[in-house]
Amino acid sequence: LTLTMNDYFECDVLFKNKCLFLKFTSPQEKYKKRIMIDLGTGKKNEDIPIQVANQIRDLLEDDKVKVYYSRLDEITPGNESVSAFTKAVNADMMILIHMNRVENPEETGIAFEYNPEYFIPFLGNTELTELLIENVTKATGKKIINITALVPDQTGTDENLLAMVTCPATLIQINYYDSEDIEQIMEDTSYLNNLAQGIADTVQTGYSILGAQ
């Protein structure tokens, strides 16, 4: 039996009285709160974003926030596919967690990027980024290396994911210098846990802001 879908659906399966029942519902119908986490490239030595995303998912479980991932393994989907997936689940927010190799060891730390062109009342990209900076800095105690406001391509062909999505979105870059940095980050579970906590706190605050309107 092969089923072909023309949209994205959540599927509930029930086997009863020797019969298989499938129920298909839209993400909006099944989950009131939905966020997308983009995990960047799926290089084998860069599974740190997945570790952080799993922590975020667990921290938001009690708030009944459905966390969608752009990938679950080393296969990296294109930005158009991630953007389409984000729109299909009608995500309320998007957090991009990427690893970024830098040429200067002085540039290791956390950097942020956002698209200031996208605006919605109360919780646009700027507000989401400000919340992330505040909460991530407080939770991790790490210095912020850089905050970049994306300048969208005026031709309308910009392939940057931040310019493509239509929900509040911010990129968090974990800058590293070499493989030794990667190992240190992976071994520092308290840092990764605190990073996840800062992001989860931001999501919770974001929903509080949206719910108050």
Side-chain angles (χ1 to χ4, degrees):
L1 177 63
T2 302
L3 300 176
T4 302
M5 301 294 167
N6 60 1
D7 206 341
Y8 185 87
F9 295 96
E10 295 288 341
C11 179
D12 292 310
V13 180
L14 174 65
F15 188 75
K16 184 178 181 181
N17 297 330
K18 298 183 180 181
C19 293
L20 181 65
F21 297 89
L22 303 178
K23 180 182 179 182
F24 298 96
T25 55
S26 68
Q28 302 94 304
E29 185 179 351
K30 186 168 184 179
Y31 304 106
K32 291 184 178 180
K33 301 176 181 178
R34 303 163 306 281
I35 69 167
M36 174 66 70
I37 298 183
D38 177 65
L39 301 169
T41 58
K43 295 180 181 179
K44 188 173 182 181
N45 67 337
E46 295 185 4
D47 63 350
I48 291 171
I50 286 185
Q51 293 183 43
V52 176
N54 288 339
Q55 287 285 341
I56 295 169
R57 178 199 60 200
D58 294 343
L59 289 167
L60 295 174
E61 186 175 7
D62 290 342
D63 293 307
K64 297 182 179 179
V65 177
K66 174 63 177 178
V67 178
Y68 291 98
Y69 297 178
S70 63
R71 64 176 176 86
L72 295 173
D73 50 33
E74 296 176 23
I75 299 175
T76 305
N79 284 348
E80 287 188 2
S81 297
V82 176
S83 176
F85 183 24
T86 304
K87 292 176 183 177
V89 302
N90 196 18
D92 302 309
M93 291 172 251
M94 182 180 199
I95 311 294
L96 299 83
I97 306 173
H98 293 185
M99 302 298 296
N100 181 49
R101 190 182 184 282
V102 293
E103 300 297 329
N104 185 347
E106 296 296 321
E107 296 177 356
T108 59
I110 302 175
F112 294 84
E113 185 174 346
Y114 69 103
N115 175 15
E117 295 281 315
Y118 181 75
F119 169 82
I120 60 173
F122 310 112
L123 189 68
N125 286 347
T126 300
E127 290 80 9
L128 178 63
T129 302
E130 290 173 348
L131 284 172
L132 278 167
I133 292 171
E134 178 183 355
N135 288 323
V136 167
T137 303
K138 179 180 178 181
T140 64
K142 299 290 184 179
K143 63 179 180 178
I144 304 302
I145 298 300
N146 193 30
I147 303 170
T148 303
L150 175 71
V151 180
D153 185 344
Q154 298 302 316
T155 65
T157 59
D158 200 332
E159 296 182 355
N160 189 307
L161 185 55
L162 288 171
M164 300 170 70
V165 296
T166 54
C167 67
T170 300
L171 165 64
I172 299 175
Q173 285 189 160
I174 304 173
N175 289 351
Y176 68 95
Y177 176 66
D178 53 21
S179 58
E180 185 176 333
D181 275 348
I182 289 282
E183 292 178 5
Q184 289 178 352
I185 293 172
M186 293 183 68
E187 291 173 359
D188 191 352
T189 56
S190 63
Y191 167 55
L192 297 180
N193 292 343
N194 290 336
L195 175 59
Q197 185 67 64
I199 296 172
D201 289 344
T202 297
V203 172
Q204 291 169 330
T205 302
Y207 276 117
S208 294
I209 293 171
L210 294 173
Q213 309 310 320

